[in-house]
Amino acid sequence: MVDRPLRLSVSDLRAYPGFERSTRLKYVQCRSARTTWSGFRFAELVEDVKPLAEARSVRIDCADKW
């Protein structure tokens, strides 16, 4: 349900501008930890595929089937 369906390789995804965020994770057992996540902004991918107005969810199929 997009105007521009894409099939992207890992190198295609790495071509998106990088983004990094430091976040505190809270666990059920009342512990916490801080970590840094990096990647690209999902909004940029959404912008490229141009979802139709009636689209309500996202499906991503990973190469390793997870």
Side-chain angles (χ1 to χ4, degrees):
M1 297 183 74
V2 296
D3 276 342
R4 296 183 55 216
L6 295 177
R7 189 177 185 111
L8 302 170
S9 67
V10 172
S11 59
D12 293 331
L13 295 174
R14 287 185 177 145
Y16 281 95
F19 174 75
E20 197 170 272
R21 172 164 289 170
S22 178
T23 312
R24 185 173 150 224
L25 302 172
K26 294 179 83 175
Y27 300 91
V28 175
Q29 300 90 351
C30 297
R31 296 182 309 183
S32 68
R34 182 163 287 284
T35 191
T36 301
W37 300 89
S38 63
F40 63 90
R41 291 184 186 270
F42 183 69
E44 293 188 32
L45 177 62
V46 171
E47 220 174 271
D48 285 349
V49 298
K50 306 204 179 312
L52 302 177
E54 60 270 18
R56 297 287 177 253
S57 62
V58 174
R59 176 181 169 168
I60 299 172
D61 294 319
C62 299
D64 62 3
K65 307 294 184 217
W66 279 90

